[in-house]
Amino acid sequence: DGGITQSPKYLFRKEGQNVTLSCEQNLNHDAMYWYRQDPGQGLRLIYYSQIVNDFQKGDIAEGYSVSREKKESFPLTVTSAQKNPTAFYLCASSMAQRDINSPLHFGNGTRLTVT
Amino acid sequence: AQSVSQHNHHVILSEAASLELGCNYSYGGTVNLFWYVQYPGQHLQLLLKYFSGDPLVKGIKGFEAEFIKSKFSFNLRKPSVQWSDTAEYFCAVNRKWGAGNMLTFGGGTRLMVKP
């Protein structure tokens, strides 16, 4: 079955450490996205990528970094510069970022807790 | 800046009650509108979408939404809810972002249906 895999489901880190969240898709989608979900604030876009080796900042990119070396993979690194890293992180993909008829497919998310 | 507002953060209903979840957006141009749903323990999935044509859109599981352009609204409705409709519901509006398109999500409405 095609889909998006995020791992791990739960992640715990100490303050000051960088942490990388994995996102893999086998849907052959060109576009991939990272959202952060906080209670009452919906989903806020962190970064997105339209094609391999290209990515753009979203609404709340500060303290995060990404890479897109392969079409299937779009890892997100939460750096120590992110002031409030504890959150639920969702990865998504769509066929083409320019295609407004292409809905997003979401992974199951990673809940990151930083203490 | 474009925003999406969902007025009710939490809604509690009994089974068979009617449901209406509000969604308003602030954007003067052409919009594409979506409702996504996240059932407990599951990933976000598309419930319905509006691009053009009939402003009354029917989605999965008996849900429908009405686009009222003059009110900048896209409210979600269901005549008779079931316990299985317990979930979090997100309204989203397509917007231009660079050369492509991006979804802006509302803050979400958590629906609990009592059996």
Side-chain angles (χ1 to χ4, degrees), chain B residues 8-21 37-40 63 76 78 80-89 108-115:
Chain B
N8 308 102
H9 294 152
H10 292 93
V11 173
I12 301 174
L13 295 173
S14 297
E15 275 195 315
S18 63
L19 169 72
E20 181 159 3
L21 302 183
V37 59
Q38 187 171 29
Y39 296 104
F63 285 91
L76 180 71
K78 186 170 183 178
S80 176
V81 294
Q82 300 172 313
W83 175 79
S84 59
D85 293 323
T86 295
E88 190 159 15
Y89 294 82
T109 298
R110 199 176 290 274
L111 171 66
M112 179 184 294
V113 179
K114 298 184 294 184

Side-chain angles (χ1 to χ4, degrees), chain A residues 67-96:
Chain A
S67 63
R68 186 87 187 275
E69 297 177 2
K70 299 186 298 182
K71 187 175 185 177
E72 305 80 29
S73 179
F74 191 42
L76 173 75
T77 296
V78 184
T79 75
S80 56
Q82 167 51 234
K83 292 186 173 62
N84 296 298
T86 295
F88 188 59
Y89 291 87
L90 281 167
C91 179
S93 71
S94 65
M95 287 188 67

Side-chain angles (χ1 to χ4, degrees), chain A residues 15-55:
Chain A
E15 196 174 328
Q17 293 180 334
N18 292 353
V19 59
T20 297
L21 282 59
S22 168
C23 178
E24 304 279 330
Q25 54 100 358
N26 60 2
L27 299 165
N28 200 33
H29 284 170
D30 287 317
M32 296 187 74
Y33 315 78
W34 274 104
Y35 286 90
R36 170 179 171 143
Q37 186 177 8
D38 295 284
Q41 296 193 55
L43 279 70
R44 293 181 290 168
L45 182 66
I46 304 172
Y47 267 97
Y48 71 97
S49 168
Q50 299 181 47
I51 56 172
V52 174
N53 293 322
D54 176 73
F55 48 83

